[in-house]
Amino acid sequence: MNYHVFPTYEALSTHAADFILAYVRNHPQATICVASGETPLLTFQKIVANTQPGDFDQVTFVALDEWVGIAPDNAGSCRSYIDAPLIKPLGISPDRVSFFDGLAPDLEAECQRVNDFIANKGGLDIIMVGIGLNGHLGLNEPGSSFESYAHVSELEEVTASVGQKYFQSETRLTQGITVGLKHFLEAKTAIVLANGPRKKDIIKRVLEEPISESLPATALKLHSNGHLWVDAAADAS
Ligand SMILES: N[C@@H]1[C@@H](O)[C@H](O)[C@@H](COP(=O)(O)O)O[C@@H]1O
């Protein structure tokens, strides 16, 4: 696992955006899985600001996860956190983006649909995600199998309560639907971003603890091209 500390959130985001832009210029048909949440918002902004015509004409995006029971157009949905700052400004056509539907009547079928979408693209080139305070990647909560593709997860209390920050009013969050850790491990490049002091404790655990499904982010250590990029405030080395 490649661990790199950037002086600021700004520098971290610039690096992440430059990495994506350089990749798509060399691999115009790339498939990229991106996370919702607050962490990647500045990266998205910088990607959009520095895109040149044609950069994303053939690129496909996969949204990492969704809260079960939350409508796609809810401002707090994972979809909204990716669609508004990244997908819409880049003008990605609907056939080149996959979002989970948190209201899908058959969640297993919804997982299969996303698994098939990713498989049909030949897998993920890049997966770039944030990290939860319990070490989750996407909504792969502690105990999630490293062998799992898309699946429904039961949220830990910390995830449900931290998740309230995305919503204007109190919202019941009990389950998630997420790209699996097997997708993460099979991606050509896997990147976890973390910024700010509240992530320092979990970064310390990822650095110090052994690879285990009880700490999902340690999957990064299994990846031959895995990167943990943090800002100085989240640095625990
Ligand atoms: N569902 C989201 C994830 O997509 C995100 O990567 C992670 C970190 O969120 P944040 O970047 O807001 O800290 O947890 C949330 O629960």
Side-chain angles (χ1 to χ4, degrees):
M1 178 180 77
N2 171 313
Y3 182 68
H4 195 93
V5 183
F6 295 86
T8 60
Y9 175 52
E10 171 91 27
L12 167 72
S13 306
T14 298
H15 184 79
D18 287 350
F19 181 88
I20 297 281
L21 287 165
Y23 192 89
V24 301
R25 286 169 189 158
N26 283 316
H27 305 83
Q29 298 190 330
T31 301
I32 304 175
C33 180
V34 287
S36 59
E38 293 172 337
T39 307
L41 287 176
L42 189 55
T43 300
F44 292 167
Q45 209 176 304
K46 288 176 180 288
I47 290 172
V48 170
N50 293 295
T51 293
Q52 289 165 8
D55 280 349
F56 288 93
D57 283 1
Q58 300 172 72
V59 172
T60 298
F61 283 99
V62 175
L64 178 69
D65 54 9
E66 191 53 275
W67 309 104
V68 169
I70 299 299
D73 61 354
N74 185 313
S77 72
C78 295
R79 178 179 178 135
S80 296
Y81 265 78
I82 295 170
D83 203 21
L86 185 72
I87 302 300
K88 282 209 174 89
L90 290 181
I92 306 295
S93 58
D95 58 314
R96 287 189 291 111
V97 59
S98 158
F99 291 106
F100 284 108
D101 179 358
L103 293 181
D106 182 342
L107 293 172
E108 292 306 322
E110 184 63 0
C111 291
Q112 195 53 52
R113 187 184 66 76
V114 173
N115 285 338
D116 291 346
F117 184 92
I118 294 171
N120 286 337
K121 294 288 172 189
L124 300 171
D125 288 273
I126 301 172
I127 184 164
M128 182 182 277
V129 305
I131 182 170
L133 297 184
N134 61 358
H136 73 213
L137 299 181
L139 289 169
N140 290 282
E141 293 284 67
S144 297
S145 169
F146 286 171
E147 294 297 317
S148 61
Y149 289 109
H151 62 104
V152 175
S153 66
E154 302 301 319
L155 302 181
E156 286 196 343
E157 176 52 33
V158 62
T159 301
S161 61
V162 171
Q164 296 298 325
K165 71 180 175 174
Y166 308 116
F167 298 92
Q168 300 291 350
S169 55
E170 201 177 322
T171 305
R172 194 174 136 77
L173 303 171
T174 57
Q175 289 182 309
I177 184 167
T178 183
V179 159
L181 293 170
K182 187 80 168 168
H183 285 124
F184 184 88
L185 290 168
E186 288 180 351
K188 292 192 181 98
T189 301
I191 303 164
V192 175
L193 306 174
N195 69 287
R198 77 195 169 96
K199 295 287 170 73
K200 192 174 177 136
D201 287 350
I202 192 62
I203 295 303
K204 186 173 169 59
R205 287 188 58 200
V206 175
L207 292 176
E208 292 178 357
E209 292 187 20
I211 297 166
S212 162
E213 289 176 350
S214 64
L215 187 52
T218 58
L220 199 56
K221 298 182 185 181
L222 276 177
H223 201 293
S224 56
N225 192 19
H227 304 265
L228 178 54
W229 295 341
V230 306
D231 72 356
D235 175 28
S237 60

